Amino acid sequence: MAASEHEGRLGEEFFTPGSSSFTEFLAAHRPELLSTRRVLPDGVRAEGAPHGTTVLALTYRDGVLIAGDRRATMGNLIAQRDLEKVHPADDHCAVAFAGTVGLAVDMVKLYQVELAHFEKIEGIPMTLAGKATRLATMIRNNLGQAMQGLAVVPLLAGYDPAAPEGAHGRIFSFDVAGGRYEKFGFHAEGSGSPYARGALKKLYRPGMSRGEAALAALQALYDAADDDSATGGPDLTRRIYPIVSVITEDGFERLAETETEGLSRAMVEQRHTRPDGPNAAEV
């Protein structure tokens, strides 16, 4: 923030009444720190920036699961093999992203501060619907860059204690203009999302256990990688596996790598005899 006239003392901006939004605070006093407000010169389009790809979320018996592959691409090249696309936003919600990696990482960090700032100012956590609306506003602020090729498409998943019993897990998707859409059951974003959603259509069912939900997510990401070159499947040689996290009444938890590795290796072994994966469970 701007230096105070008296060294060691906070400036006047910290004592000026305003909203509980940290983003609005920065926009008013240090807008240059907001990467989402920077627009490229007219006629310039961003080319060659690393992009993240497939992320997904699905509700299950105890809450909601959110997962993503690890590949980032730069055109036809693999820019990174172990990118982390799933991040906790606070204790009871998480964000996964597809799109321009640099902007997405900045947006996630700013969103984490945004939620913590609101809770400290207001004294209570933001509701899950409020968190979705606040994230939509941040995406809308990036519209100028999105139109120049620097789009960020996040996926928000959280545990809502105010929701009816059996529906505590909630999923929100967004478009590049900041439109907010609640999804029910499951959803996927990114270049491999049509294939991931197709897999989840046959594998998903309400009331799944955590293990069943994690395996369904891994199967869906495998199918996405099978048909989309920008999506990375489990790399058994380098021991790089998708990130799988769950959010329940107890909060956010990232599945241990040993658990993800075990499920991934079992799934790949099954694919040796059934390359197209399991069929839908009989009704």
Side-chain angles (χ1 to χ4, degrees):
M1 305 309 299
S4 172
E5 292 183 8
H6 303 285
E7 188 175 354
R9 296 182 62 183
L10 295 175
E12 286 186 11
E13 62 268 23
F14 290 96
F15 303 97
T16 302
S19 78
S20 56
S21 169
F22 183 73
T23 303
E24 292 179 9
F25 176 73
L26 278 185
H29 300 287
R30 291 292 298 275
E32 70 276 9
L33 296 180
L34 290 172
S35 60
T36 56
R37 298 296 178 95
R38 302 170 195 157
V39 179
L40 301 176
D42 290 342
V44 175
R45 286 187 59 83
E47 302 291 345
H51 277 66
T53 47
T54 310
V55 294
L56 59 84
L58 63 150
T59 58
Y60 73 105
R61 184 174 58 208
D62 299 324
V64 62
L65 177 147
I66 187 166
D69 81 308
R70 307 292 296 276
R71 179 174 292 178
T73 57
M74 192 163 55
N76 65 322
L77 302 177
I78 297 176
Q80 187 174 347
R81 301 180 189 275
D82 59 351
L83 178 66
E84 298 201 4
K85 305 175 188 176
V86 179
H87 301 268
D90 65 9
D91 290 341
H92 286 91
C93 76
V95 179
F97 65 81
T100 307
V101 173
L103 281 180
V105 172
D106 280 353
M107 187 179 291
V108 169
K109 290 179 179 177
L110 180 59
Y111 186 56
Q112 291 168 334
V113 176
E114 181 85 354
L115 298 187
H117 182 263
F118 177 92
E119 186 169 349
K120 288 179 179 178
I121 295 297
E122 299 295 335
I124 57 173
M126 194 181 298
T127 65
L128 186 57
K131 295 172 187 177
T133 300
R134 190 60 60 89
L135 182 55
T137 301
M138 295 175 66
I139 297 167
R140 190 175 303 115
N141 289 336
N142 187 53
L143 183 58
Q145 293 188 90
M147 294 298 99
Q148 293 179 303
L150 297 174
V152 177
V153 185
L155 185 62
L156 177 70
Y159 183 90
D160 187 354
E165 187 65 32
H168 293 301
R170 299 177 68 184
I171 302 166
F172 294 90
S173 72
F174 308 85
D175 60 34
V176 294
R180 190 197 85 169
Y181 314 96
E182 183 165 5
K183 302 296 182 177
F184 298 95
F186 60 87
H187 189 65
E189 291 287 359
S191 60
S193 60
Y195 313 108
R197 286 199 297 268
L200 289 173
K201 280 184 178 180
K202 68 177 182 178
L203 297 175
Y204 176 80
R205 65 180 189 278
M208 300 171 81
S209 68
R210 185 175 102 156
E212 291 170 334
L215 186 56
L218 291 172
Q219 294 278 13
L221 290 172
Y222 191 102
D223 280 352
D226 199 32
D227 286 299
D228 173 44
S229 62
T231 303
D235 189 333
L236 304 185
T237 304
R238 296 183 178 87
R239 300 186 67 181
I240 299 173
Y241 307 100
I243 293 177
V244 181
S245 299
V246 295
I247 310 161
T248 66
E249 184 179 10
D250 296 327
F252 175 91
E253 177 189 357
R254 176 170 166 172
L255 269 61
E257 188 167 330
T258 52
E259 183 176 356
T260 309
E261 178 179 1
L263 289 171
S264 296
R265 288 186 177 275
M267 176 187 64
V268 171
E269 185 64 29
Q270 292 171 3
R271 294 276 178 152
H272 288 162
T273 55
R274 303 190 68 174
D276 293 331
N279 294 325
E282 294 185 2
V283 179

